[in-house]
Amino acid sequence: MQWADEGIILATRKHGETSLILELMTPGHGRHLGLVRGGRSRRLQPFLQAGNTVSVTWRARLDEHLGTVVAEPVTERASRLIAGALGIYGLQVLTALLRLLPERDPHPALYTALAVVLDDLGDPISAGELVARFELAVLGDLGFGLDLARCAATGATDDLAFVSPRTGRAVSRTAGEPYRDRLLPLPRFLSARAEGQPTPHDLAAAFSLSGYFLDRHVYEPRGITVPPARERLLALIAGHGAVV
Amino acid sequence: MSRAVAGPEIERLIQLLSKLPGLGPRSARRAALHLIQKKDQLLVPLTQAMEVAVDRVVVCSRCGNVDTSDPCTICSDQRRDPHMLVVVEDVADLWALERAGVLNARYHVLGGTLSPLDGVGPDDLSIDALVERVSADAVTEVILAVNATVEGQTTAHFITDRLAGLPVKVSRLAHGVPVGGELDYLDEGTLSAAIRSRTPF
């Protein structure tokens, strides 16, 4: 068995004294693992870092084997990402989200989105917007997508202000007003007619929304906890300007 | 099935040696044979040295270094600057910095790095002890000498957050061109880090 693809490194694990097990997100083969022989060498280790894009060739005798990977660098982002708290916590949140996906299940849209988010983890507001959207996209790919295009009650597509915690569908301001204490707020930038840049308050609402559904559909049923990096990322976004 | 070529005692010696870093079953067999052939010059002194190590090696209760005394030689050295603390991941890193001989500071060994993937959290490392030490010992500078990896830098950021309220300067090692490194052979990540960390000349 053999295939060649591009992939973004999600994590590395030491294997023996000289090798690494690489965890990659690829467009055509999803989240995939493979052994890199000599991956801890001075030549390979600098670019075999989480966040970098590599060109890979995976080989194994049988498809169900771990297989070996030969990697070459394509885009090296790791040094920029690890230079700041926003980059490092953002990277950890994204990799933790992708680890929720089953192995070897292709999610090409998430791969493309991952590359975009990793390239834009410099500014807290735009990074926050992209990560919040990425969380909703992961929920969608896991089969728990929210319907934020139109109001569940009236079918209206404008002035959507709430989300039903039961169905995950948007509700317009007029239809939702009597039940506002039971609904989740929908920040404007996530609604169908989004415009302008989100404020830190909008981002907090967006993360609260995605966090609620991640917790309900993914973390709780699987008995896992929210990654600590998410809380730190949210703190950085909330106090943006102070720490980048 | 392969037949044993030596008694169980020698096989046991080979098996234990093969667990050492850098040794596999074949090199362990060679090392065992060498030890046996040089029994008086190597095997007996090695056994004695190991017995002494087993009896006397302890982990320093202040910094986490390994030594035969507690506090360790570095913590007890009065000539070292007590106001400067170098934070390292493990004892191997401490020894590497001591080999370089560029610092006259004291150390703090974390015992690893934060790694959600491996289930290593802040409670598994000696971060609380570091914060206590910085507060109690009137430390003025903490140098974070952790690896330039995602795990290493996550740990560095976490420690920086924990030390935020204390009157201490926190610095970290520069990332860039190694001595003897040729730019043509360096990866792009290292080069961009070197450009960002450039210094006046």
Side-chain angles (χ1 to χ4, degrees), chain A residues 122-146:
Chain A
D123 172 61
I125 295 295
S126 61
E129 178 181 356
L130 290 170
V131 174
R133 288 185 185 279
F134 193 83
E135 287 194 331
L136 294 176
V138 170
L139 269 171
D141 275 36
L142 287 170
F144 305 109
L146 309 189

Side-chain angles (χ1 to χ4, degrees), chain B residues 27-49:
Chain B
S27 44
R29 201 166 282 277
R30 285 180 61 208
L33 187 60
H34 190 71
L35 285 169
I36 292 162
Q37 284 171 342
K38 297 200 181 267
K39 189 175 173 182
D40 293 333
Q41 299 101 309
L42 273 177
L43 187 57
V44 173
L46 181 67
T47 312
Q48 287 166 349

Side-chain angles (χ1 to χ4, degrees), chain B residues 39-197:
Chain B
K39 189 175 173 182
D40 293 333
Q41 299 101 309
L42 273 177
L43 187 57
V44 173
L46 181 67
T47 312
Q48 287 166 349
M50 288 174 114
E51 275 174 8
V52 172
V54 168
D55 288 342
R56 296 186 54 192
V57 170
V58 286
V59 174
C60 176
S61 56
R62 296 187 70 191
C63 71
N65 187 16
V66 288
D67 206 338
T68 50
S69 58
D70 185 14
C72 68
T73 313
I74 291 175
C75 288
S76 333
D77 187 350
Q78 296 300 319
R79 290 167 299 177
R80 287 181 183 261
D81 184 356
H83 305 299
M84 189 186 282
L85 201 60
V86 184
V87 179
V88 291
E89 287 179 17
D90 53 40
V91 177
D93 297 336
L94 186 157
W95 287 358
L97 284 168
E98 279 299 292
R99 263 201 322 271
V102 289
L103 284 161
N104 188 33
R106 290 184 177 162
Y107 293 88
H108 189 87
V109 181
L110 291 172
T113 49
L114 296 173
S115 173
L117 187 63
D118 300 319
V120 181
D123 296 339
D124 301 308
L125 308 177
S126 63
I127 294 175
D128 287 338
L130 169 69
V131 177
E132 276 175 33
R133 210 173 152 195
V134 169
S135 324
D137 294 358
V139 173
T140 54
E141 181 171 4
V142 171
I143 301 173
L144 299 171
V146 290
N147 291 336
T149 58
V150 173
E151 288 84 8
Q153 295 307 306
T154 304
T155 312
H157 283 295
F158 185 80
I159 292 172
T160 309
D161 288 348
R162 288 290 307 273
L163 296 174
L166 299 172
V168 61
K169 177 186 167 191
V170 181
S171 57
R172 69 173 179 184
L173 300 186
H175 303 157
V177 183
V179 175
E182 294 177 35
L183 297 190
D184 193 23
Y185 290 97
L186 285 181
D187 64 290
E188 293 157 29
T190 306
L191 277 174
S192 58
I195 291 288
R196 279 199 304 273
S197 314

Side-chain angles (χ1 to χ4, degrees), chain A:
Chain A
M1 308 298 298
Q2 178 175 333
W3 53 258
D5 205 345
E6 201 173 83
I8 295 174
I9 301 173
L10 300 181
T12 56
R13 271 179 251 180
K14 291 175 185 173
H15 183 80
E17 285 175 51
T18 57
S19 299
L20 279 179
I21 294 176
L22 209 59
E23 187 178 9
L24 294 156
M25 184 67 189
T26 63
H29 300 83
R31 188 166 67 86
H32 210 292
L33 279 82
L35 178 77
V36 184
R37 293 196 193 282
R40 293 173 68 190
S41 68
R42 284 187 185 180
R43 189 179 72 82
L44 298 181
Q45 200 165 22
F47 73 83
L48 293 179
Q49 297 292 326
N52 285 344
T53 300
V54 287
S55 154
V56 292
T57 304
W58 179 86
R59 286 190 191 91
R61 192 170 63 79
L62 296 174
D63 193 39
E64 56 265 37
H65 284 176
L66 172 67
T68 56
V69 165
V70 177
E72 288 294 329
V74 175
T75 310
E76 298 184 34
R77 307 181 187 87
S79 69
R80 181 174 47 78
L81 291 172
I82 65 174
L86 193 65
I88 211 145
Y89 292 140
L91 176 65
Q92 292 203 338
V93 168
L94 295 170
T95 54
L97 283 167
L98 291 171
R99 212 163 279 131
L100 300 172
L101 300 171
E103 275 184 48
R104 304 187 179 194
D105 189 25
H107 295 270
L110 283 181
Y111 174 81
T112 310
L114 176 66
V116 171
V117 183
L118 287 176
D119 285 334
D120 207 356
L121 279 178
D123 172 61
I125 295 295
S126 61
E129 178 181 356
L130 290 170
V131 174
R133 288 185 185 279
F134 193 83
E135 287 194 331
L136 294 176
V138 170
L139 269 171
D141 275 36
L142 287 170
F144 305 109
L146 309 189
D147 178 5
L148 307 179
R150 63 187 68 248
C151 173
T154 64
T157 56
D158 56 351
D159 203 23
L160 301 174
F162 305 102
V163 175
S164 161
R166 195 173 61 81
T167 62
R169 297 180 68 188
V171 181
S172 67
R173 190 176 305 280
T174 45
E177 199 55 43
Y179 315 99
R180 67 175 305 149
D181 54 336
R182 280 186 274 164
L183 297 171
L184 299 165
L186 172 65
R188 281 181 70 87
F189 80 96
L190 287 180
S191 64
R193 296 189 179 177
E195 52 191 38
Q197 211 188 21
T199 62
H201 182 262
D202 289 337
L203 291 174
F207 280 111
S208 170
L209 181 70
S210 56
Y212 174 84
F213 287 102
L214 277 169
D215 210 34
R216 179 176 150 187
H217 293 304
V218 186
Y219 295 134
E220 265 187 28
R222 297 191 191 183
I224 52 178
T225 54
V226 182
R230 188 178 190 269
E231 197 183 314
R232 293 189 199 115
L233 180 72
L234 300 198
L236 279 180
I237 291 167
H240 84 93
V243 190
V244 178

